[in-house]
C-alpha cells in the first residue's frame, strides 16, 4: 500500500485530507464528505479566509448551536435564510407528475397537533383577527380523491407569532390535524395570517442585519399532507402583496403556491357550518387550495421543536 503523503505546502492539504477519508465504509458518507471537503477547501482559497474570519465563523456556528432550545431552532433558521432549506425541498420534490409543489418545513412545525373535525376552528385561544375559511381537496396524481388523508396545518397569529413564541396564546393555538372526508375534502376555520419577521434575536438575525436584509415572510399557512402509500407533502400556501411574495427572507414562495384569499360566499362544503359561524356577515374571507400527492412511502421529518 502506498505510503501516505506528507504535506509540503497549503496546496497539498486537500489531496491529503481526501485520501484520509477515502476508505469510509459507507459509500454515501464517503461521497458527501469528499464533496464537502473539496467545496469547503475551495471556498477557503476563493475568499482567502483570514485567521480572524475563520475564528469568527467557528464562533458563529457555535452560537447558532447554543441558541437552539426545545422551543426554538436556530440551526434550521440559519439554513432557511441561506436558501439551503428551499433548495433541498425543491430538489427532492420536483413537480414532475402533477403533484403539488413543496416548500420548506421551517422551524415551527410541532408533532402531535390536536386532532380536529372538519369545520373546527384552529384558533383555540382568543385570537383577534379577520375570520378565514380554508378548504380544499386532497387527490392523487390521477385525480382520485384521497379519503382519510391527514392535513396537518400550522400558522402564525395575526400579530406574527407562533404559539410557541407567544405566552399570550394557548398551547397548540393555530395548529390542528384534519382528516379528509368521503370526497377527499378538508375544511377549517381560522384567522387570516399576516406576514411576520423570523426571529432576529440570535446569530441568524445578526447575519441578516449585517447583510442589510429584512427579516419578513409573506403571509402563509403551512400544510403537511399525508396518506398511506403516498409521499408526504410539506408545503405552504401564500396570500400577500406581490412585493412581500417576491422578497421572502427564506425564499419559500413559488408561483404555484400563491393562493387566493377571496371575499365572497363560503364554498359549498361550508354550507351548514359556516352559515352559523358567520351569520350576519355579508362576505366571508375564504382560501381554497387543493393538494395532489404522488404515490410513494409516507415519511415524516424530525420535528424542529418539541
Ligand atoms: C415559517 O414559515 O414558519 C418559517 C420558515 C423559515 C424561517 C422562519 C419561519
Ligand atoms: Fe410560517
Amino acid at each position: 500500500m502506498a505510503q501516505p503523503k506528507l504535506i509540503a505546502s497549503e496546496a497539498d492539504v486537500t489531496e491529503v485530507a481526501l485520501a484520509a477519508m477515502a476508505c469510509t465504509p459507507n459509500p454515501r458518507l464517503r461521497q458527501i464528505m469528499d464533496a464537502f471537503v473539496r467545496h469547503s477547501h475551495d471556498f477557503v482559497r476563493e475568499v482567502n479566509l483570514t485567521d480572524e474570519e475563520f475564528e469568527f465563523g467557528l464562533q458563529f456556528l457555535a452560537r447558532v448551536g447554543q441558541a437552539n432550545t426545545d422551543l426554538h431552532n436556530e440551526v434550521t433558521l440559519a439554513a432557511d435564510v441561506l436558501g439551503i432549506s428551499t433548495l433541498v425541498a425543491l430538489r427532492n420534490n420536483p413537480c414532475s407528475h402533477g403533484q403539488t409543489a413543496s416548500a420548506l418545513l421551517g422551524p415551527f412545525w410541532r408533532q402531535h397537533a390536536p386532532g380536529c373535525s372538519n369545520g373546527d376552528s384552529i384558533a383555540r385561544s382568543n385570537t383577534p383577527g379577520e375570520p378565514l375559511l380554508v378548504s380544499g381537496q386532497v387527490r392523487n396524481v390521477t385525480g382520485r380523491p384521497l379519503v382519510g388523508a391527514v392535513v396537518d396545518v400550522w400558522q402564525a397569529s395575526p400579530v406574527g407569532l407562533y404559539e410557541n413564541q407567544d405566552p399570550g396564546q394557548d398551547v397548540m393555538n393555530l395548529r390542528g390535524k384534519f382528516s379528509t372526508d368521503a370526497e377527499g375534502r378538508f375544511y377549517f376555520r381560522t384567522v387570516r395570517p399576516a406576514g411576520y419577521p423570523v426571529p432576529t434575536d440570535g446569530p441568524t438575525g445578526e447575519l441578516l442585519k449585517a447583510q442589510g436584509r429584512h427579516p419578513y415572510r409573506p403571509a402563509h399557512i403551512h400544510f403537511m399532507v399525508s396518506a398511506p402509500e403516498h409521499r408526504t407533502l410539506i408545503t405552504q400556501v401564500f396570500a400577500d402583496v406581490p412585493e412581500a411574495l417576491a422578497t421572502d427572507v427564506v425564499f419559500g414562495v413559488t408561483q404555484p403556491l400563491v393562493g387566493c384569499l377571496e371575499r365572497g360566499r363560503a364554498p359549498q362544503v361550508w354550507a351548514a357550518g359556516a352559515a352559523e359561524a358567520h351569520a350576519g356577515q355579508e362576505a366571508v374571507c375564504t382560501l381554497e387550495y387543493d393538494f395532489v400527492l404522488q404515490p410513494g412511502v409516507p415519511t415524516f421529518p424530525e420535528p424542529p421543536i418539541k
Side-chain angles (χ1 to χ4, degrees):
M1 206 169 115
Q3 203 44 21
K5 176 173 165 175
L6 271 190
I7 293 169
S9 76
E10 165 267 299
D12 296 332
V13 177
T14 308
E15 182 191 335
V16 172
L18 291 175
M21 301 168 196
C23 294
T24 303
N26 179 322
R28 181 64 175 155
L29 178 64
R30 182 167 70 239
Q31 180 189 23
I32 288 173
M33 290 315 297
D34 185 278
F36 183 76
V37 167
R38 283 186 287 106
H39 288 285
S40 56
H41 287 212
D42 281 352
F43 158 76
V44 168
R45 292 191 172 97
E46 181 183 325
V47 303
N48 277 321
L49 199 69
T50 66
D51 290 336
E52 293 73 23
E53 288 160 348
F54 181 48
E55 204 173 299
F56 183 89
L58 293 180
Q59 274 172 9
F60 181 83
L61 286 180
R63 287 197 298 126
V64 169
Q66 284 154 1
N68 253 43
T69 67
D70 282 353
L71 291 182
H72 174 80
N73 198 319
E74 189 79 12
V75 178
T76 301
L77 183 61
D80 294 345
V81 306
L82 294 177
I84 298 171
S85 308
T86 290
L87 179 61
V88 172
L90 297 189
R91 278 190 66 81
N92 289 320
N93 299 282
C95 303
S96 42
H97 297 95
Q99 67 269 42
T100 302
S102 296
L104 73 168
L105 176 71
F108 293 127
W109 176 61
R110 293 179 70 187
Q111 261 180 331
H112 312 305
C116 302
S117 300
N118 281 311
D120 282 355
S121 174
I122 58 171
R124 319 173 182 281
S125 46
N126 180 29
T127 313
E130 184 178 357
L132 172 66
L133 306 182
V134 180
S135 56
Q137 189 185 38
V138 181
R139 297 186 292 272
N140 71 5
V141 288
T142 68
R144 180 171 60 83
L146 293 176
V147 180
V150 175
V151 181
D152 188 348
V153 302
W154 67 105
Q155 69 167 83
S157 73
V159 300
L161 291 171
Y162 286 83
E163 50 79 37
N164 54 292
Q165 302 174 289
D166 180 5
Q169 294 181 54
D170 281 1
V171 173
M172 293 285 179
N173 192 40
L174 300 177
R175 298 177 188 266
K177 264 188 201 176
F178 295 82
S179 188
T180 54
D181 68 12
E183 291 175 347
R185 297 190 182 280
F186 64 91
Y187 46 105
F188 63 91
R189 290 180 289 136
T190 183
V191 285
R192 184 181 178 151
Y196 62 83
V198 301
T200 53
D201 53 354
T204 307
E206 284 170 32
L207 175 64
L208 290 174
K209 195 163 174 210
Q211 291 180 315
R213 294 168 62 189
H214 75 67
Y216 287 93
R217 298 221 59 207
H220 61 275
I221 300 178
H222 295 261
F223 294 87
M224 185 182 297
V225 187
S226 57
E229 293 169 25
H230 289 80
R231 279 178 64 108
T232 302
L233 170 70
I234 297 172
T235 196
Q236 306 177 22
V237 177
F238 297 87
D240 213 323
V241 294
E243 306 82 74
L245 294 173
T247 63
D248 181 2
V249 66
V250 297
F251 314 103
V253 184
T254 56
Q255 190 58 48
L257 295 179
V258 179
C260 186
L261 284 187
E262 286 183 318
R263 235 173 242 99
R265 284 166 56 86
Q268 194 64 35
V269 77
W270 283 99
E276 247 168 66
H278 298 278
Q281 287 180 14
E282 293 274 297
V284 57
C285 196
T286 63
L287 171 66
E288 270 193 280
Y289 200 93
D290 294 347
F291 298 106
V292 177
L293 304 191
Q294 87 179 121
V297 178
T299 57
F300 296 90
E302 274 301 308
I305 53 172
K306 295 251 163 66

